[in-house]
Each structure stands twice: as structure tokens, then as C-alpha cells.
Amino acid sequence: MEVFFVFAMYVVLTVLTSTALAYGACLDFVRHPSIAAIADRVSVPRTWMVPLGVCLASGSLGLLAGIAVPWIGTAAGVGLVLYFLGAVGVHLRVGDLRVGGALVFLALSVAVLILGVAVHGVA
């Protein structure tokens, strides 16, 4: 029963995180004004929005694929943790303390990575 609960938590959190990342990627792809404003605030060129969106979309798909192919999910989880650590660093580099969104995504990425390893083992 406990194993099923952990697996269910892993799947639900993975789908939730993946959906949120896909939404974020879409916002980057269309260069949504709210995301463009954040890029301007932290001195990230707007030309980076699409490549950063590709990273988010890849992470989203990788997390979902990781449910069936564990090493892909592990790689995606590690990549997303690094991505959001970088995002927090970029905000702090320019003195912007509005890092709540990046910290939430970092926490979700860490949680999915930990649950994935717990469910699948180190893959």
C-alpha cells in the first residue's frame, strides 16, 4: 500500500509539474508581456525567451517520459533543478528578490526528482 501511495504521489506531482512547465514554455514561446517584463528586470535578452522555453518544454516532456523510462525522468529532473538554480541566481545577481516563482518551480523539480528516484531507484 505504501509503495502505491508513493508512486501515486510521484505521478500526480510529475503531471502537475509538467503541466506548469509546459504552460511556462508556451508563455516563453509567445513572448508573453509578463515574462518579457521579468526578462527585462533581470537583464536577460528577450531573444533568449524561445530557447529558454525549449528548455522548459524539454523538461516537461522529459518528466512525463520518466514515468515509463526512469533515466529520462532523472535526467530531466536534474536539468530542471539546474535550470531553476540558475534562474534564482540570475535574479539575485541583479538584486531582484522576486524569486518566488523560480523557488516554487525549483521545489517542484526537486520533489519530482526525489520521488522519481524513490520509485524507480537511481536510473
Side-chain angles (χ1 to χ4, degrees), residues 73-85:
T74 301
V78 169
L80 288 166
V81 167
L82 294 173
Y83 178 95
F84 289 110
L85 283 173

Side-chain angles (χ1 to χ4, degrees), residues 52-65:
L52 291 173
V54 169
C55 291
L56 292 177
S58 298
S60 172
L61 292 173
L63 290 181
L64 289 177

Side-chain angles (χ1 to χ4, degrees), residues 18-113:
S18 179
T19 302
L21 290 168
Y23 178 70
C26 289
L27 292 177
D28 277 343
F29 293 149
V30 299
R31 296 191 168 130
H32 192 274
S34 65
I35 303 301
I38 294 169
D40 293 343
R41 191 171 69 231
V42 297
S43 301
V44 170
R46 289 186 181 199
T47 57
W48 288 17
M49 290 176 70
V50 170
L52 291 173
V54 169
C55 291
L56 292 177
S58 298
S60 172
L61 292 173
L63 290 181
L64 289 177
I67 295 170
V69 185
W71 70 267
I72 294 175
T74 301
V78 169
L80 288 166
V81 167
L82 294 173
Y83 178 95
F84 289 110
L85 283 173
V88 170
V90 166
H91 280 269
L92 297 178
R93 174 183 56 93
V94 297
D96 180 23
L97 299 179
R98 292 176 277 184
V99 294
L103 289 174
V104 167
F105 278 105
L106 176 60
L108 287 170
S109 299
V110 167
V112 169
L113 179 59

